[in-house]
Amino acid sequence: MKYEYSAIEKKWQKYWEENESFAASNDYSKPKFYPLVEFPYPSGAGLHVGHPRSYTALDIIARKKRLAGYNVLYAMGWDAFGLPAENYAIKNQVHPKTITEKNIDRFRDQLKSLGLSFDWSREVNTTDPNYYKWTQWIFLKLFEKGLAYKKEMAVNWCTSCKCVLANEEVVDGVCERCGSQVVRKVKEQWMLKITAYAERLINDLDGVNYIPRVKTQQKNWIGRSTGAEVKFETSVGSTLTVYTTRPDTLFGATYMVISPEHPMIDKYKESIENYEDCIAYREAAAKKSDFERTELQKEKTGVCIKGITAKNPVNDKEIPIYISDYVLMSYGTGAIMAVPAHDERDYAFAKVFDLPVIEVVKGGDIEKEAFTDIESGEMVNSGMLNGLTVAEAKKKIIEWLAETGKGEAKVNYKLRDWVFSRQRYWGEPIPLVHCDECGWVAIPESELPLTLPDVEKYEPTDNGESPLAKIESFVNTTCPKCGRPAKRETDIMPQWAGSSWYFLRYCDPHNDKELASKEALEYWTPVDWYNGGMEHTTLHLLYSRFWHKFLYDIGVVPTAEPYAKRTSHGMILGENGAKMSKSLGNVVNPDDIVRDYGADTMRLYEMFIGDFEKTAPWSTSSIKGCKRFLERVLGLVEIATLEKEDEETERELHRTIRKVSDDIEQMKFNTGIAAMMSFVNFAYDKGGLTKEELKTFILLLNPFAPHLTEEMWELLGEKKPICEIGVWPEYDEKKLVDTSKVIPVQVNGKLRGTVKVAVGLDEAAVRAEAEKDEKIAAALAGKTVVKVIYIKDKMLNIVVK
RNA sequence: GCCGCUGUGGUGGAAUCGGCAGACACGAGGGACUUAAAAUCCCUUGGGGGCAACUCCGUAUCGGUUCAAGUCCGAUCAGCGGCACCA
């Protein structure tokens, strides 16, 4: 029988489409299952072979759950705003919408050709005004609750994209997207107060089932630390507050350092004798990109502020204040107390500027290096703290600071607020108006969506304004509050906006009254299983958790966490083991694979390629093995002629059911497929199987190779397709049990032979059987048995002397 | 520098609890079929030694625990990922 994969696949894809076989039901009385994959950015390059790895994996899980009787919502959409379409538009003078639509059509066709069981009636598109109406609505709610605010700040500025980047988008000091240099630039930006949720974003990780490395990375990124804020009095009258994780070392603070951007430099300009030097240093620091600033971290630089000193609150000692760029304005208070004896950076700085180093924790050698261990050591030179451990000293000094009003315990986070505006065109307009009288005012909900107007040129301006700023009809409006002339915000939202809540829209995608109905959200959320790339851990995944928590707080969604479970797939590399890229010429096009081997083979291969969580190189020759397997599966139809069930075959089949069922749940697709291959090999060796056995096997394979299995199901005379029957095979414990077993026999831990014995035999009987074996007997000859270890039905080890 | 992960045949990878290392595939070699090739089917395939039955070695390296270690413990080396002047 020839395997006509193209015809079979077209036939069933057509059937599924016409019958809407995978549409999620709105019958909320059934048990639900909501699997989710990250929706793609529809790039001009088309689908990458990496996409189907994730999509197929959850498709298998979705299909299995459907067969097991669940109401499954598996949907797809397009994260279609973003820079590539805009850059293409600039180059070719076409509307980004045109190219985006074209790309989406291509992606949709490609996904359909893979037989993915998406409910296409729920497709969403972030660039559709009916969708981004609700993205804007959420933004307005954030604004209303004071979580969106405009702030003049130093931002990451991509010199090539001419656009602000979020911290998460700067990787190694360059733009994550284009690799160009990122510099600091002071600009007014819309910010979202994600830091207000920092604590909950960490704590609530305990209640969700995410793979450990995702949790670790998120915690790491949020970067919670505990310590204290301490107030230092200065000679100009005001206090200078610092944050420290080591308040226990306060007696060792011999100088202070403020960041070059610290406001006190300008505030006390009159008192600073070397103000010029300070400003020169600040300007030099500002010119450095983030990259340079961290590259040069070995060499400490700085300027001593002359004319102002501070007083150490524990002993009233007068200490100098320095300016240095190793202190960041964006973390803590932008000022530190320097304890060179117990901090490596302060130590390096003190050596350069020849500042005193006072040991306050005994245990290291401060002549050589800073002693930073907090587990060992005893407090010295520290007045009331002397003799205490570091932990005890921390506690005591914090109490003292609180009593005296000189400080308090404080928690800090590395996480910073989310820079939310972009000076670009292809994104959601920010629905705010600026009025000279009323300030920033939200546009009324009834005016949503605020649609993106057409422009003639898509380039951002050199002074960093969005192309929208040139559209007078868009910019000029009236204040919704007082009616006077006012101007619209012309910045747009970042790409992460639309993707922060798309899974909520799948629940009720055509609702024009709410982002989704209460009932739909109540039933479908949280997402039961979300799979996506590790590269989104500190971006999309964190942002969407933040938005979801906010929506929970205002009563829009019923759960505090959006995703009950998060897993992650490894990347697929090129055949040469390098990342697939056009320049290396190692890109594999999924269309070619579907054409030459078929969608079922492609699906199976991507699942068989290796451990789902790990990166794996593509191998064209290995695909053949999967195709061969499917051909052999089809061939089973001809030998499914046995009338009577065979005990051994039944056992193999039931083992395969158990293995495949378990492996799907654990995403161990590769071993599940291996088990099915073994069963097929077994059936051929045996020379045949019954029709019923084959049908059970077909059901098991269905989630992996849906087209071929539907075809075979029909060939075997079934009238109703698999996708309509709702039965997942169950294994029978009784059929799994063996009557006899081969057990390894070891002598002194070394394998000397095996014996076939009845199941459940006791030690003496097995030993007697083993001694009948020539080799084992030879190994025992002339020796004294010291000990015998027998694990029932597993192994026998005889220890001799 | 800190945190995390991973090291298994020619290749991708298997191996619930410590219990027959290398499942399943790919590739390679040999054979059958064929005028021939492709496809298919059968056999061999971790390494060394032996005519053979057989035997020794083998999961990055070194050491330890144990009747028994790919798996547990300690040290080292290599690779990958995350964070990184975060006080």
Side-chain angles (χ1 to χ4, degrees):
Chain A
M1 203 179 316
K2 196 161 183 302
Y3 176 28
E4 305 275 5
Y5 58 84
S6 278
I8 293 173
E9 287 169 6
K10 281 202 186 83
K11 169 181 165 186
W12 287 101
Q13 282 165 18
K14 186 163 171 253
Y15 183 92
W16 295 329
E17 178 138 11
E18 282 171 359
N19 292 277
E20 293 182 19
S21 304
F22 307 117
S25 154
N26 286 326
D27 173 3
Y28 296 161
S29 64
K30 281 192 182 165
K32 67 100 182 180
F33 186 75
Y34 187 2
L36 181 70
V37 288
E38 286 165 352
F39 65 163
Y41 172 74
S43 76
L47 203 68
H48 182 273
V49 288
H51 288 118
R53 196 178 193 189
S54 173
Y55 302 165
T56 306
L58 283 224
D59 190 55
I60 288 166
I61 292 163
R63 285 176 179 271
K64 180 190 170 221
K65 290 282 184 185
R66 267 191 219 104
L67 289 180
Y70 286 86
N71 185 16
V72 173
L73 168 49
Y74 191 41
M76 188 31 76
W78 319 106
D79 187 14
F81 275 129
L83 272 179
E86 185 166 339
N87 289 338
Y88 185 91
I90 291 170
K91 222 167 151 188
N92 301 289
Q93 287 305 310
V94 279
H95 198 293
K97 196 175 153 189
T98 315
I99 180 70
T100 299
E101 276 169 5
K102 206 175 125 209
N103 290 346
I104 287 176
D105 287 343
R106 166 124 190 260
F107 262 74
R108 193 189 297 107
D109 285 347
Q110 289 184 302
L111 292 175
K112 284 188 177 174
S113 81
L114 288 168
L116 295 162
S117 65
F118 294 125
D119 177 353
W120 288 104
S121 71
R122 293 176 187 251
E123 180 179 334
V124 303
N125 176 348
T126 55
T127 67
D128 178 354
N130 293 322
Y131 179 90
Y132 71 67
K133 169 180 179 176
W134 299 104
T135 311
Q136 291 174 329
W137 182 86
I138 297 169
F139 177 83
L140 286 184
K141 290 289 161 192
L142 286 159
F143 177 72
E144 191 183 294
K145 301 289 176 191
L147 290 166
Y149 63 100
K150 203 162 198 185
K151 189 184 164 194
E152 182 157 278
M153 60 168 309
V155 292
N156 306 302
W157 179 263
C158 173
T159 47
S160 163
C161 303
K162 289 176 184 169
C163 182
V164 164
L165 303 177
N167 291 319
E168 291 82 343
E169 293 170 296
V170 182
V171 175
D172 293 332
V174 300
C175 173
E176 176 205 46
R177 205 172 300 109
C178 69
S180 309
Q181 203 190 28
V182 175
V183 295
R184 321 200 121 255
K185 202 165 184 171
V186 175
K187 284 194 77 72
E188 270 221 321
Q189 299 294 333
W190 282 102
M191 307 286 292
L192 293 188
K193 229 184 251 178
I194 189 171
T195 52
Y197 283 77
E199 190 69 23
R200 284 164 68 191
L201 287 169
I202 286 189
N203 293 344
D204 291 359
L205 285 173
D206 291 342
V208 290
N209 178 15
Y210 290 8
I211 52 170
R213 57 198 170 124
V214 168
K215 286 191 185 184
T216 316
Q217 268 184 40
Q218 288 209 346
K219 278 183 192 160
N220 217 333
W221 185 261
I222 296 167
R224 183 179 198 270
S225 77
T226 56
E229 273 190 0
V230 184
K231 291 177 192 156
F232 283 66
E233 292 197 7
T234 65
S235 57
V236 284
S238 68
T239 59
L240 181 56
T241 306
V242 303
Y243 171 71
T244 177
T245 55
R246 296 292 306 273
D248 51 296
T249 62
L250 196 44
F251 284 87
T254 53
Y255 63 100
M256 299 185 80
V257 188
I258 63 171
S259 119
E261 299 87 23
H262 200 283
M264 89 171 264
I265 299 171
D266 281 325
K267 199 169 166 197
Y268 298 106
K269 176 175 181 169
E270 264 72 56
S271 317
I272 301 177
E273 292 161 17
N274 58 342
Y275 180 69
E276 306 288 307
D277 292 348
C278 296
I279 295 308
Y281 184 82
R282 175 162 73 192
E283 277 166 10
K287 272 193 202 130
K288 288 186 199 170
S289 64
D290 267 3
F291 186 65
E292 290 169 313
R293 222 164 140 159
T294 50
E295 268 302 279
L296 297 168
Q297 65 180 265
K298 302 284 175 294
E299 283 292 306
K300 293 275 182 288
T301 60
V303 180
C304 180
I305 299 180
K306 298 206 173 103
I308 306 180
T309 57
K311 236 196 252 171
N312 189 330
V314 285
N315 54 19
D316 289 344
K317 257 193 207 158
E318 197 173 21
I319 56 175
I321 304 172
Y322 281 78
I323 301 171
S324 176
D325 63 4
Y326 84 87
V327 173
L328 310 173
M329 194 59 223
S330 49
Y331 183 77
T333 62
I336 62 156
M337 63 177 213
V339 185
H342 306 287
D343 181 282
E344 279 166 32
R345 294 148 300 170
D346 296 347
Y347 192 87
F349 189 86
K351 287 293 158 195
V352 174
F353 289 88
D354 200 21
L355 291 154
V357 180
I358 299 175
E359 180 179 59
V360 291
V361 186
K362 214 164 65 180
D365 180 4
I366 61 152
E367 293 300 318
K368 292 207 186 94
E369 58 181 1
F371 177 63
T372 57
D373 193 359
I374 54 165
E375 302 295 328
S376 67
E378 178 189 318
M379 304 306 298
V380 291
N381 301 324
S382 294
M384 58 186 164
L385 304 178
N386 282 338
L388 300 179
T389 65
V390 168
E392 288 162 351
K394 250 183 206 172
K395 208 174 156 217
K396 185 158 182 188
I397 192 75
I398 288 172
E399 279 164 15
W400 181 85
L401 287 167
E403 275 165 30
T404 55
K406 292 180 179 177
E408 60 186 344
K410 172 90 183 169
V411 174
N412 249 314
Y413 305 92
K414 287 188 203 171
L415 182 71
R416 296 173 206 174
D417 278 340
W418 176 5
V419 183
F420 198 69
S421 29
R422 299 289 184 274
Q423 295 68 40
R424 279 287 185 151
Y425 172 74
W426 191 228
E428 300 88 347
I430 291 177
L432 296 176
V433 167
H434 189 264
C435 166
D436 287 338
E437 296 296 319
C438 314
W440 285 106
V441 181
I443 71 169
E445 224 177 284
S446 59
E447 284 177 26
L448 294 179
L450 172 61
T451 52
L452 196 55
D454 286 340
V455 298
E456 270 168 30
K457 281 187 173 293
Y458 302 100
E459 287 97 336
T461 65
D462 284 329
N463 63 7
E465 277 191 326
S466 151
L468 294 179
K470 285 178 279 184
I471 310 296
E472 296 206 353
S473 58
F474 175 77
V475 175
N476 295 316
T477 182
T478 52
C479 173
K481 214 182 217 171
C482 68
R484 287 194 188 84
K487 290 192 186 301
R488 282 192 202 282
E489 173 59 64
T490 58
D491 282 358
I492 57 161
M493 299 186 198
Q495 198 184 357
W496 311 108
S499 59
S500 289
W501 70 282
Y502 71 107
F503 55 94
L504 298 175
R505 191 64 175 168
Y506 285 152
C507 298
D508 190 12
H510 310 293
N511 194 324
D512 58 0
K513 304 277 184 298
E514 303 163 274
L515 62 84
S517 76
K518 276 245 150 36
E519 300 74 47
L521 292 173
E522 199 67 58
Y523 177 70
W524 288 113
T525 66
V527 168
D528 291 289
W529 192 333
Y530 192 17
N531 186 75
M534 280 309 288
E535 69 275 17
H536 289 126
T537 305
T538 54
L539 292 158
H540 159 68
L541 196 66
L542 197 62
Y543 291 153
S544 62
R545 287 183 62 219
F546 161 46
W547 273 33
H548 197 83
K549 287 187 177 303
F550 169 70
L551 292 173
Y552 174 70
D553 289 348
I554 63 169
V556 174
V557 296
T559 61
E561 282 288 336
Y563 320 115
K565 177 173 181 170
R566 168 79 178 190
T567 54
S568 199
H569 57 276
M571 222 194 312
I572 294 184
L573 304 174
E575 199 127 20
N576 55 0
K579 196 172 164 176
M580 280 191 195
S581 79
K582 251 191 211 160
S583 57
L584 287 173
N586 59 352
V587 176
V588 177
N589 183 344
D591 294 344
D592 296 343
I593 305 300
V594 170
R595 185 194 60 220
D596 297 342
Y597 301 91
D600 282 335
T601 298
M602 162 96 176
R603 292 168 61 104
L604 203 70
Y605 172 64
E606 289 219 1
M607 295 299 102
F608 190 58
I609 195 166
D611 187 331
F612 183 70
E613 283 199 20
K614 295 206 184 102
T615 53
W618 186 267
S619 162
T620 303
S621 55
S622 292
I623 301 171
K624 288 183 198 145
C626 291
K627 176 127 185 272
R628 238 173 251 166
F629 166 66
L630 291 180
E631 283 163 349
R632 278 163 68 80
V633 169
L634 180 58
L636 288 176
V637 173
E638 280 161 28
I639 61 164
T641 49
L642 300 190
E643 291 293 322
K644 203 168 162 291
E645 288 166 4
D646 164 83
E647 196 186 323
E648 209 185 351
T649 309
E650 282 293 292
R651 186 158 59 234
E652 283 305 313
L653 181 60
H654 281 254
R655 280 200 183 139
T656 309
I657 296 171
R658 180 172 64 176
K659 180 77 180 145
V660 172
S661 303
D662 290 353
D663 282 355
I664 289 176
E665 293 299 323
Q666 291 169 54
M667 300 190 119
K668 294 189 153 223
F669 304 109
N670 53 341
T671 51
I673 292 167
M676 289 190 282
M677 287 174 167
S678 295
F679 178 78
V680 171
N681 292 344
F682 176 88
Y684 274 100
D685 287 348
K686 197 87 190 174
L689 73 173
T690 69
K691 219 164 145 183
E692 281 310 307
E693 285 163 347
L694 177 56
K695 282 201 277 190
T696 305
F697 177 77
I698 285 172
L699 288 176
L700 277 184
L701 182 61
N702 174 260
F704 296 83
H707 311 87
L708 175 66
T709 46
E710 285 286 14
E711 185 68 16
M712 287 176 71
W713 191 254
E714 197 177 77
L715 274 174
L716 290 171
E718 290 292 330
K719 296 278 173 289
K720 221 172 168 190
I722 296 172
C723 63
E724 283 163 26
I725 58 166
V727 180
W728 179 252
E730 297 276 344
Y731 61 89
D732 183 347
E733 288 281 357
K734 275 177 274 168
K735 289 192 174 158
L736 294 174
V737 181
D738 263 321
T739 49
S740 68
K741 246 191 144 168
V742 176
I743 355 185
V745 179
Q746 300 174 347
V747 177
N748 284 350
K750 287 204 172 184
L751 185 71
R752 292 295 167 197
T754 56
V755 284
K756 190 170 182 181
V757 294
V759 162
L761 228 54
D762 67 1
E763 181 185 316
V766 174
R767 195 174 150 190
E769 194 64 34
E771 279 163 9
K772 282 187 206 155
D773 184 285
E774 243 175 75
K775 272 189 268 170
I776 298 165
L780 293 173
K783 307 272 173 65
T784 322
V785 175
V786 181
K787 198 173 171 186
V788 177
I789 293 127
Y790 174 64
I791 296 162
K792 207 178 214 177
D793 302 340
K794 266 244 167 109
M795 56 82 55
L796 177 72
N797 187 10
I798 303 168
V799 186
V800 294
K801 232 186 200 162

